[in-house]
Short mmCIF file of all heavy atoms in Angstrom, two decimals:
data_model
loop_
_atom_site.label_atom_id
_atom_site.label_comp_id
_atom_site.label_asym_id
_atom_site.label_seq_id
_atom_site.Cartn_x
_atom_site.Cartn_y
_atom_site.Cartn_z
N MET G 1 0.85 -1.19 0.00
CA MET G 1 0.00 0.00 0.00
C MET G 1 0.89 1.23 -0.01
O MET G 1 1.75 1.41 0.84
CB MET G 1 -0.89 -0.04 1.22
CG MET G 1 -1.83 1.12 1.31
SD MET G 1 -2.99 0.84 2.69
CE MET G 1 -4.42 1.47 1.98
N SER G 2 0.69 2.10 -0.94
CA SER G 2 1.51 3.32 -1.01
C SER G 2 0.71 4.55 -0.67
O SER G 2 -0.52 4.57 -0.87
CB SER G 2 2.12 3.47 -2.41
OG SER G 2 1.08 3.62 -3.35
N ALA G 3 1.35 5.57 -0.17
CA ALA G 3 0.71 6.81 0.20
C ALA G 3 0.39 7.59 -1.05
O ALA G 3 1.12 7.54 -2.03
CB ALA G 3 1.59 7.63 1.13
N PRO G 4 -0.69 8.34 -1.03
CA PRO G 4 -0.99 9.21 -2.17
C PRO G 4 0.08 10.25 -2.38
O PRO G 4 0.72 10.71 -1.43
CB PRO G 4 -2.32 9.84 -1.83
CG PRO G 4 -2.73 9.29 -0.52
CD PRO G 4 -1.70 8.40 0.01
N ALA G 5 0.27 10.69 -3.57
CA ALA G 5 1.35 11.63 -3.90
C ALA G 5 1.09 13.02 -3.36
O ALA G 5 2.02 13.80 -3.15
CB ALA G 5 1.55 11.68 -5.40
N SER G 6 -0.15 13.37 -3.10
CA SER G 6 -0.45 14.75 -2.71
C SER G 6 -0.69 14.90 -1.18
O SER G 6 -1.49 15.73 -0.78
CB SER G 6 -1.67 15.27 -3.47
OG SER G 6 -2.77 14.46 -3.08
N VAL G 7 -0.01 14.11 -0.40
CA VAL G 7 -0.18 14.22 1.07
C VAL G 7 0.63 15.43 1.56
O VAL G 7 1.81 15.54 1.28
CB VAL G 7 0.32 12.93 1.76
CG1 VAL G 7 0.33 13.11 3.27
CG2 VAL G 7 -0.54 11.78 1.38
N SER G 8 -0.06 16.30 2.25
CA SER G 8 0.63 17.47 2.82
C SER G 8 1.16 17.12 4.20
O SER G 8 0.50 16.41 4.96
CB SER G 8 -0.29 18.68 2.89
OG SER G 8 -1.37 18.41 3.74
N GLN G 9 2.31 17.60 4.49
CA GLN G 9 2.93 17.32 5.77
C GLN G 9 2.87 18.57 6.64
O GLN G 9 3.02 19.68 6.16
CB GLN G 9 4.38 16.89 5.59
CG GLN G 9 4.50 15.55 4.89
CD GLN G 9 5.94 15.14 4.76
OE1 GLN G 9 6.85 15.94 4.91
NE2 GLN G 9 6.14 13.85 4.49
N ALA G 10 2.66 18.33 7.92
CA ALA G 10 2.66 19.46 8.86
C ALA G 10 4.07 19.97 9.04
O ALA G 10 5.01 19.19 9.15
CB ALA G 10 2.07 19.00 10.18
N ARG G 11 4.19 21.27 9.07
CA ARG G 11 5.52 21.88 9.26
C ARG G 11 5.47 22.75 10.49
O ARG G 11 4.49 23.46 10.73
CB ARG G 11 5.91 22.72 8.07
CG ARG G 11 6.10 21.93 6.82
CD ARG G 11 6.55 22.82 5.69
NE ARG G 11 6.71 22.01 4.48
CZ ARG G 11 7.23 22.45 3.37
NH1 ARG G 11 7.60 23.70 3.31
NH2 ARG G 11 7.34 21.67 2.35
N PRO G 12 6.53 22.72 11.30
CA PRO G 12 6.54 23.57 12.49
C PRO G 12 6.67 25.05 12.08
O PRO G 12 7.28 25.39 11.08
CB PRO G 12 7.80 23.09 13.23
CG PRO G 12 8.64 22.44 12.20
CD PRO G 12 7.70 21.88 11.19
N VAL G 13 6.02 25.87 12.88
CA VAL G 13 6.08 27.31 12.65
C VAL G 13 7.18 27.90 13.51
O VAL G 13 7.18 27.69 14.73
CB VAL G 13 4.72 27.94 12.99
CG1 VAL G 13 4.80 29.46 12.80
CG2 VAL G 13 3.64 27.37 12.13
N ALA G 14 8.07 28.58 12.89
CA ALA G 14 9.17 29.21 13.64
C ALA G 14 8.66 30.53 14.24
O ALA G 14 8.21 31.40 13.54
CB ALA G 14 10.36 29.48 12.73
N ILE G 15 8.72 30.61 15.57
CA ILE G 15 8.34 31.83 16.27
C ILE G 15 9.59 32.53 16.73
O ILE G 15 10.40 31.93 17.46
CB ILE G 15 7.41 31.52 17.47
CG1 ILE G 15 6.18 30.78 17.00
CG2 ILE G 15 7.04 32.79 18.20
CD1 ILE G 15 5.31 30.26 18.11
N PRO G 16 9.82 33.74 16.34
CA PRO G 16 11.04 34.44 16.74
C PRO G 16 11.13 34.64 18.25
O PRO G 16 10.13 34.84 18.92
CB PRO G 16 10.98 35.79 16.00
CG PRO G 16 9.76 35.78 15.21
CD PRO G 16 8.98 34.55 15.49
N ILE G 17 12.35 34.59 18.77
CA ILE G 17 12.56 34.73 20.21
C ILE G 17 12.11 36.10 20.69
O ILE G 17 11.67 36.28 21.81
CB ILE G 17 14.00 34.44 20.59
CG1 ILE G 17 14.21 34.32 22.10
CG2 ILE G 17 14.95 35.49 20.06
CD1 ILE G 17 13.61 33.12 22.72
N SER G 18 12.15 37.11 19.81
CA SER G 18 11.75 38.45 20.22
C SER G 18 10.26 38.51 20.48
O SER G 18 9.80 39.40 21.22
CB SER G 18 12.16 39.47 19.16
OG SER G 18 11.52 39.15 17.93
N ASP G 19 9.50 37.61 19.89
CA ASP G 19 8.05 37.55 20.15
C ASP G 19 7.74 36.79 21.45
O ASP G 19 6.73 37.07 22.11
CB ASP G 19 7.33 36.86 19.01
CG ASP G 19 7.24 37.73 17.78
OD1 ASP G 19 7.63 38.92 17.88
OD2 ASP G 19 6.82 37.23 16.73
N THR G 20 8.56 35.81 21.78
CA THR G 20 8.27 35.00 22.95
C THR G 20 8.95 35.44 24.21
O THR G 20 8.48 35.14 25.30
CB THR G 20 8.65 33.54 22.69
OG1 THR G 20 10.02 33.49 22.35
CG2 THR G 20 7.86 32.96 21.53
N LEU G 21 10.04 36.18 24.11
CA LEU G 21 10.81 36.56 25.29
C LEU G 21 10.02 37.42 26.28
O LEU G 21 10.06 37.16 27.50
CB LEU G 21 12.09 37.27 24.87
CG LEU G 21 13.16 37.39 25.95
CD1 LEU G 21 13.55 36.05 26.49
CD2 LEU G 21 14.37 38.14 25.46
N PRO G 22 9.25 38.41 25.85
CA PRO G 22 8.45 39.18 26.82
C PRO G 22 7.45 38.31 27.57
O PRO G 22 7.22 38.51 28.77
CB PRO G 22 7.75 40.22 25.97
CG PRO G 22 8.55 40.36 24.75
CD PRO G 22 9.15 39.01 24.51
N TRP G 23 6.86 37.35 26.90
CA TRP G 23 5.90 36.44 27.57
C TRP G 23 6.61 35.55 28.56
O TRP G 23 6.11 35.27 29.64
CB TRP G 23 5.17 35.61 26.52
CG TRP G 23 4.19 36.42 25.75
CD1 TRP G 23 4.41 36.94 24.51
CD2 TRP G 23 2.88 36.84 26.15
NE1 TRP G 23 3.28 37.66 24.13
CE2 TRP G 23 2.36 37.59 25.11
CE3 TRP G 23 2.14 36.61 27.29
CZ2 TRP G 23 1.08 38.17 25.17
CZ3 TRP G 23 0.87 37.18 27.37
CH2 TRP G 23 0.36 37.93 26.32
N LEU G 24 7.79 35.06 28.17
CA LEU G 24 8.58 34.23 29.07
C LEU G 24 8.99 34.99 30.33
O LEU G 24 8.85 34.49 31.46
CB LEU G 24 9.81 33.69 28.33
CG LEU G 24 10.73 32.80 29.16
CD1 LEU G 24 10.01 31.54 29.56
CD2 LEU G 24 11.98 32.48 28.37
N ILE G 25 9.46 36.21 30.15
CA ILE G 25 9.87 37.02 31.28
C ILE G 25 8.67 37.37 32.16
O ILE G 25 8.73 37.29 33.39
CB ILE G 25 10.63 38.27 30.81
CG1 ILE G 25 11.96 37.88 30.20
CG2 ILE G 25 10.81 39.26 31.95
CD1 ILE G 25 12.66 39.00 29.50
N GLY G 26 7.57 37.72 31.51
CA GLY G 26 6.34 38.05 32.29
C GLY G 26 5.83 36.88 33.08
O GLY G 26 5.44 36.99 34.24
N ALA G 27 5.84 35.69 32.47
CA ALA G 27 5.38 34.49 33.17
C ALA G 27 6.30 34.14 34.32
O ALA G 27 5.84 33.73 35.40
CB ALA G 27 5.28 33.32 32.21
N ALA G 28 7.61 34.32 34.14
CA ALA G 28 8.58 34.05 35.21
C ALA G 28 8.37 35.02 36.36
O ALA G 28 8.36 34.62 37.53
CB ALA G 28 10.00 34.13 34.69
N LEU G 29 8.19 36.29 36.07
CA LEU G 29 7.97 37.29 37.13
C LEU G 29 6.66 37.04 37.87
O LEU G 29 6.61 37.11 39.09
CB LEU G 29 7.99 38.70 36.54
CG LEU G 29 9.37 39.19 36.12
CD1 LEU G 29 9.25 40.57 35.49
CD2 LEU G 29 10.34 39.24 37.31
N PHE G 30 5.62 36.70 37.12
CA PHE G 30 4.33 36.39 37.76
C PHE G 30 4.46 35.16 38.64
O PHE G 30 3.92 35.12 39.75
CB PHE G 30 3.27 36.18 36.70
CG PHE G 30 1.92 35.86 37.25
CD1 PHE G 30 1.16 36.84 37.87
CD2 PHE G 30 1.42 34.56 37.18
CE1 PHE G 30 -0.08 36.51 38.41
CE2 PHE G 30 0.20 34.24 37.69
CZ PHE G 30 -0.56 35.24 38.32
N GLY G 31 5.18 34.15 38.17
CA GLY G 31 5.39 32.93 38.95
C GLY G 31 6.17 33.21 40.24
O GLY G 31 5.82 32.70 41.30
N LEU G 32 7.20 34.03 40.13
CA LEU G 32 7.98 34.39 41.31
C LEU G 32 7.13 35.18 42.30
O LEU G 32 7.23 34.99 43.52
CB LEU G 32 9.23 35.17 40.90
CG LEU G 32 10.34 34.37 40.30
CD1 LEU G 32 11.46 35.29 39.81
CD2 LEU G 32 10.91 33.37 41.30
N LEU G 33 6.32 36.10 41.80
CA LEU G 33 5.45 36.88 42.67
C LEU G 33 4.43 35.98 43.36
O LEU G 33 4.21 36.10 44.56
CB LEU G 33 4.74 37.94 41.82
CG LEU G 33 3.99 39.03 42.57
CD1 LEU G 33 5.00 39.92 43.30
CD2 LEU G 33 3.15 39.85 41.63
N LEU G 34 3.86 35.06 42.62
CA LEU G 34 2.91 34.11 43.23
C LEU G 34 3.61 33.20 44.25
O LEU G 34 3.06 32.98 45.34
CB LEU G 34 2.26 33.29 42.10
CG LEU G 34 1.03 32.48 42.45
CD1 LEU G 34 -0.09 33.42 42.87
CD2 LEU G 34 0.61 31.67 41.27
N TYR G 35 4.79 32.75 43.91
CA TYR G 35 5.57 31.94 44.83
C TYR G 35 5.86 32.70 46.12
O TYR G 35 5.76 32.16 47.23
CB TYR G 35 6.86 31.48 44.17
CG TYR G 35 7.79 30.71 45.05
CD1 TYR G 35 7.57 29.36 45.31
CD2 TYR G 35 8.90 31.33 45.63
CE1 TYR G 35 8.40 28.65 46.13
CE2 TYR G 35 9.74 30.61 46.46
CZ TYR G 35 9.51 29.29 46.70
OH TYR G 35 10.34 28.60 47.51
N TYR G 36 6.20 33.96 45.97
CA TYR G 36 6.51 34.76 47.15
C TYR G 36 5.28 34.90 48.04
O TYR G 36 5.33 34.68 49.24
CB TYR G 36 7.03 36.16 46.75
CG TYR G 36 7.15 37.05 47.94
CD1 TYR G 36 8.23 36.94 48.81
CD2 TYR G 36 6.15 37.99 48.24
CE1 TYR G 36 8.30 37.71 49.94
CE2 TYR G 36 6.24 38.78 49.36
CZ TYR G 36 7.33 38.67 50.19
OH TYR G 36 7.40 39.42 51.31
N PHE G 37 4.15 35.29 47.45
CA PHE G 37 2.95 35.53 48.27
C PHE G 37 2.41 34.26 48.89
O PHE G 37 1.89 34.28 50.00
CB PHE G 37 1.88 36.26 47.47
CG PHE G 37 2.16 37.72 47.35
CD1 PHE G 37 2.33 38.30 46.12
CD2 PHE G 37 2.24 38.52 48.48
CE1 PHE G 37 2.60 39.67 46.01
CE2 PHE G 37 2.51 39.89 48.38
CZ PHE G 37 2.70 40.43 47.15
N VAL G 38 2.51 33.13 48.20
CA VAL G 38 2.00 31.90 48.75
C VAL G 38 2.97 31.29 49.76
O VAL G 38 2.60 30.85 50.82
CB VAL G 38 1.68 30.86 47.64
CG1 VAL G 38 1.36 29.50 48.23
CG2 VAL G 38 0.53 31.35 46.80
N GLY G 39 4.27 31.32 49.43
CA GLY G 39 5.21 30.56 50.24
C GLY G 39 6.04 31.32 51.21
O GLY G 39 6.49 30.75 52.21
N ILE G 40 6.28 32.59 50.98
CA ILE G 40 7.28 33.28 51.82
C ILE G 40 6.69 34.43 52.59
O ILE G 40 7.16 34.75 53.68
CB ILE G 40 8.42 33.77 50.90
CG1 ILE G 40 9.05 32.58 50.18
CG2 ILE G 40 9.48 34.53 51.69
CD1 ILE G 40 10.04 32.93 49.15
N ASP G 41 5.69 35.12 52.09
CA ASP G 41 5.18 36.35 52.71
C ASP G 41 4.56 36.04 54.07
O ASP G 41 3.43 35.61 54.18
CB ASP G 41 4.12 36.97 51.80
CG ASP G 41 3.62 38.29 52.35
OD1 ASP G 41 4.37 39.27 52.25
OD2 ASP G 41 2.51 38.33 52.87
N GLN G 42 5.33 36.27 55.09
CA GLN G 42 4.86 36.05 56.45
C GLN G 42 5.82 36.70 57.41
O GLN G 42 7.04 36.61 57.27
CB GLN G 42 4.75 34.55 56.77
CG GLN G 42 4.23 34.26 58.17
CD GLN G 42 4.21 32.76 58.47
OE1 GLN G 42 4.77 31.97 57.75
NE2 GLN G 42 3.58 32.42 59.55
N GLY G 43 5.29 37.35 58.42
CA GLY G 43 6.13 37.89 59.50
C GLY G 43 7.14 38.91 59.01
O GLY G 43 6.79 39.92 58.37
N ALA G 44 8.40 38.67 59.30
CA ALA G 44 9.45 39.64 58.99
C ALA G 44 9.66 39.80 57.47
O ALA G 44 10.15 40.83 57.02
CB ALA G 44 10.75 39.20 59.63
N THR G 45 9.30 38.80 56.69
CA THR G 45 9.50 38.91 55.23
C THR G 45 8.29 39.50 54.53
O THR G 45 8.29 39.60 53.31
CB THR G 45 9.79 37.52 54.63
OG1 THR G 45 8.68 36.65 54.89
CG2 THR G 45 11.05 36.92 55.22
N SER G 46 7.29 39.89 55.27
CA SER G 46 6.07 40.40 54.64
C SER G 46 6.31 41.79 54.09
O SER G 46 6.88 42.66 54.73
CB SER G 46 4.93 40.42 55.65
OG SER G 46 3.76 40.95 55.05
N VAL G 47 5.80 42.04 52.86
CA VAL G 47 5.97 43.35 52.27
C VAL G 47 4.92 44.33 52.81
O VAL G 47 5.06 45.54 52.66
CB VAL G 47 5.86 43.32 50.74
CG1 VAL G 47 7.03 42.59 50.15
CG2 VAL G 47 4.57 42.69 50.28
N PHE G 48 3.90 43.85 53.48
CA PHE G 48 2.84 44.71 53.98
C PHE G 48 2.89 44.85 55.49
O PHE G 48 1.89 45.16 56.12
CB PHE G 48 1.47 44.20 53.55
CG PHE G 48 1.29 44.20 52.06
CD1 PHE G 48 1.22 43.02 51.35
CD2 PHE G 48 1.20 45.41 51.37
CE1 PHE G 48 1.07 43.03 49.98
CE2 PHE G 48 1.05 45.41 50.01
CZ PHE G 48 0.99 44.22 49.30
N GLY G 49 4.03 44.62 56.09
CA GLY G 49 4.17 44.83 57.52
C GLY G 49 3.53 43.74 58.35
O GLY G 49 3.60 42.56 57.99
N ASP G 50 2.90 44.14 59.45
CA ASP G 50 2.40 43.15 60.40
C ASP G 50 1.03 42.60 60.04
O ASP G 50 0.60 41.61 60.64
CB ASP G 50 2.32 43.78 61.81
CG ASP G 50 3.68 43.96 62.41
OD1 ASP G 50 4.62 43.25 61.97
OD2 ASP G 50 3.81 44.78 63.32
N ASN G 51 0.31 43.23 59.13
CA ASN G 51 -1.01 42.68 58.84
C ASN G 51 -0.88 41.38 58.06
O ASN G 51 0.08 41.14 57.36
CB ASN G 51 -1.92 43.68 58.12
CG ASN G 51 -1.36 44.09 56.80
OD1 ASN G 51 -0.79 43.27 56.11
ND2 ASN G 51 -1.54 45.34 56.40
N MET G 52 -1.85 40.51 58.23
CA MET G 52 -1.76 39.15 57.72
C MET G 52 -2.77 38.91 56.60
O MET G 52 -3.19 37.78 56.38
CB MET G 52 -2.00 38.17 58.85
CG MET G 52 -1.02 38.28 60.01
SD MET G 52 0.58 37.64 59.56
CE MET G 52 0.27 35.90 59.73
N TYR G 53 -3.17 39.98 55.90
CA TYR G 53 -4.21 39.82 54.88
C TYR G 53 -3.81 38.85 53.79
O TYR G 53 -4.57 37.94 53.42
CB TYR G 53 -4.58 41.18 54.30
CG TYR G 53 -5.14 42.15 55.28
CD1 TYR G 53 -4.62 43.42 55.43
CD2 TYR G 53 -6.23 41.79 56.07
CE1 TYR G 53 -5.13 44.31 56.34
CE2 TYR G 53 -6.75 42.67 56.99
CZ TYR G 53 -6.19 43.93 57.12
OH TYR G 53 -6.70 44.80 58.05
N ILE G 54 -2.64 39.05 53.22
CA ILE G 54 -2.19 38.16 52.14
C ILE G 54 -1.97 36.76 52.67
O ILE G 54 -2.36 35.78 52.03
CB ILE G 54 -0.87 38.70 51.52
CG1 ILE G 54 -1.10 40.09 50.92
CG2 ILE G 54 -0.35 37.75 50.46
CD1 ILE G 54 -2.04 40.12 49.75
N HIS G 55 -1.39 36.65 53.86
CA HIS G 55 -1.14 35.34 54.42
C HIS G 55 -2.41 34.57 54.64
O HIS G 55 -2.53 33.39 54.30
CB HIS G 55 -0.39 35.49 55.76
CG HIS G 55 -0.11 34.18 56.42
ND1 HIS G 55 0.98 33.42 56.13
CD2 HIS G 55 -0.82 33.50 57.36
CE1 HIS G 55 0.95 32.31 56.84
NE2 HIS G 55 -0.12 32.32 57.63
N GLU G 56 -3.42 35.25 55.18
CA GLU G 56 -4.68 34.58 55.42
C GLU G 56 -5.42 34.25 54.11
O GLU G 56 -6.09 33.23 54.00
CB GLU G 56 -5.60 35.45 56.29
CG GLU G 56 -5.06 35.61 57.70
CD GLU G 56 -4.93 34.32 58.47
OE1 GLU G 56 -5.67 33.37 58.18
OE2 GLU G 56 -4.08 34.27 59.35
N LEU G 57 -5.21 35.09 53.11
CA LEU G 57 -5.87 34.85 51.82
C LEU G 57 -5.33 33.56 51.16
O LEU G 57 -6.09 32.80 50.58
CB LEU G 57 -5.64 36.03 50.89
CG LEU G 57 -6.25 35.96 49.51
CD1 LEU G 57 -7.79 36.02 49.62
CD2 LEU G 57 -5.76 37.10 48.64
N VAL G 58 -4.03 33.35 51.26
CA VAL G 58 -3.42 32.18 50.58
C VAL G 58 -3.11 31.07 51.56
O VAL G 58 -2.37 30.14 51.23
CB VAL G 58 -2.13 32.60 49.83
CG1 VAL G 58 -2.46 33.61 48.75
CG2 VAL G 58 -1.09 33.14 50.77
N HIS G 59 -3.67 31.12 52.75
CA HIS G 59 -3.28 30.18 53.81
C HIS G 59 -3.55 28.73 53.43
O HIS G 59 -2.71 27.85 53.65
CB HIS G 59 -4.05 30.52 55.09
CG HIS G 59 -3.52 29.82 56.26
ND1 HIS G 59 -4.22 28.84 56.91
CD2 HIS G 59 -2.35 29.94 56.91
CE1 HIS G 59 -3.49 28.41 57.93
NE2 HIS G 59 -2.34 29.04 57.96
N ASP G 60 -4.67 28.42 52.88
CA ASP G 60 -4.99 27.04 52.50
C ASP G 60 -4.08 26.53 51.39
O ASP G 60 -3.60 25.39 51.44
CB ASP G 60 -6.44 26.90 52.08
CG ASP G 60 -7.39 27.07 53.28
OD1 ASP G 60 -6.91 26.99 54.40
OD2 ASP G 60 -8.58 27.35 53.03
N ALA G 61 -3.80 27.39 50.43
CA ALA G 61 -2.87 26.99 49.36
C ALA G 61 -1.50 26.77 49.93
O ALA G 61 -0.76 25.86 49.50
CB ALA G 61 -2.82 28.09 48.29
N ARG G 62 -1.12 27.56 50.93
CA ARG G 62 0.18 27.41 51.55
C ARG G 62 0.31 26.02 52.17
O ARG G 62 1.31 25.37 52.02
CB ARG G 62 0.32 28.52 52.61
CG ARG G 62 1.63 28.61 53.26
CD ARG G 62 1.58 29.72 54.30
NE ARG G 62 2.87 29.96 54.83
CZ ARG G 62 3.60 31.01 54.51
NH1 ARG G 62 3.14 31.91 53.69
NH2 ARG G 62 4.79 31.17 55.03
N HIS G 63 -0.69 25.60 52.93
CA HIS G 63 -0.64 24.29 53.55
C HIS G 63 -0.78 23.17 52.52
O HIS G 63 -0.17 22.12 52.67
CB HIS G 63 -1.73 24.15 54.63
CG HIS G 63 -1.34 24.87 55.88
ND1 HIS G 63 -0.48 24.34 56.79
CD2 HIS G 63 -1.72 26.07 56.36
CE1 HIS G 63 -0.31 25.18 57.78
NE2 HIS G 63 -1.06 26.26 57.56
N LEU G 64 -1.56 23.40 51.51
CA LEU G 64 -1.70 22.40 50.48
C LEU G 64 -0.38 22.11 49.78
O LEU G 64 -0.04 20.98 49.44
CB LEU G 64 -2.73 22.86 49.44
CG LEU G 64 -2.99 21.91 48.30
CD1 LEU G 64 -3.73 20.67 48.78
CD2 LEU G 64 -3.81 22.57 47.20
N LEU G 65 0.45 23.16 49.61
CA LEU G 65 1.73 23.02 48.95
C LEU G 65 2.86 22.71 49.93
O LEU G 65 4.03 22.69 49.55
CB LEU G 65 2.05 24.28 48.15
CG LEU G 65 1.04 24.60 47.04
CD1 LEU G 65 1.31 25.96 46.48
CD2 LEU G 65 1.14 23.53 45.97
N SER G 66 2.53 22.46 51.19
CA SER G 66 3.48 22.02 52.24
C SER G 66 4.52 23.11 52.58
O SER G 66 5.66 22.77 52.95
CB SER G 66 4.20 20.74 51.85
OG SER G 66 3.27 19.72 51.63
N PHE G 67 4.15 24.35 52.48
CA PHE G 67 5.05 25.39 53.00
C PHE G 67 4.86 25.50 54.49
O PHE G 67 3.74 25.37 55.00
CB PHE G 67 4.73 26.75 52.36
CG PHE G 67 5.22 26.90 50.99
CD1 PHE G 67 4.38 26.77 49.91
CD2 PHE G 67 6.57 27.19 50.73
CE1 PHE G 67 4.82 26.92 48.61
CE2 PHE G 67 7.01 27.33 49.47
CZ PHE G 67 6.15 27.20 48.38
N PRO G 68 5.93 25.70 55.24
CA PRO G 68 5.78 25.85 56.70
C PRO G 68 5.03 27.14 57.01
O PRO G 68 5.14 28.11 56.28
CB PRO G 68 7.21 25.88 57.21
CG PRO G 68 8.03 26.28 56.04
CD PRO G 68 7.32 25.80 54.84
N CYS G 69 4.32 27.13 58.16
CA CYS G 69 3.48 28.28 58.41
C CYS G 69 3.64 28.74 59.84
O CYS G 69 4.25 29.75 60.09
CB CYS G 69 2.03 27.88 58.10
SG CYS G 69 0.89 29.24 58.22
N HIS G 70 3.10 28.03 60.80
CA HIS G 70 2.99 28.52 62.14
C HIS G 70 4.23 28.16 62.95
O HIS G 70 4.82 27.14 62.74
CB HIS G 70 1.76 27.94 62.84
CG HIS G 70 0.55 28.09 62.00
ND1 HIS G 70 -0.12 29.26 61.91
CD2 HIS G 70 -0.12 27.22 61.20
CE1 HIS G 70 -1.18 29.09 61.10
NE2 HIS G 70 -1.17 27.88 60.65
ZN1 LIG E 101 -1.02 27.81 58.65
#
């Protein structure tokens, strides 16, 4: 059994790095910011001082991801 002569093949699309780099940097910064607020923002390392609003907001996610808390 032979393949038909007019079979089109899928070709990868080349995306220039200048188009993807801003998205990559933005996603990395967003991930680091999310990581900070979920995992690290507490007590002396809190950017908002002594109030615990962010900590309480992400508290369940913090324990779900096994970050130390109390
Ligand atoms: Zn806790």
Side-chain angles (χ1 to χ4, degrees):
M1 181 173 218
S2 63
S6 64
V7 172
S8 62
Q9 293 182 344
R11 294 183 180 187
V13 177
I15 302 173
I17 191 70
S18 60
D19 287 352
T20 58
L21 196 59
W23 289 98
L24 179 64
I25 292 171
L29 288 177
F30 180 73
L32 285 174
L33 191 68
L34 194 62
Y35 176 79
Y36 172 79
F37 281 119
V38 171
I40 301 172
D41 184 75
Q42 181 183 11
T45 60
S46 178
V47 292
F48 297 111
D50 286 339
N51 63 36
M52 301 287 282
Y53 298 126
I54 299 294
H55 179 85
E56 294 299 333
L57 181 69
V58 298
H59 192 249
D60 290 343
R62 186 182 188 105
H63 282 282
L64 180 70
L65 298 172
S66 301
F67 283 101
C69 186
H70 310 283

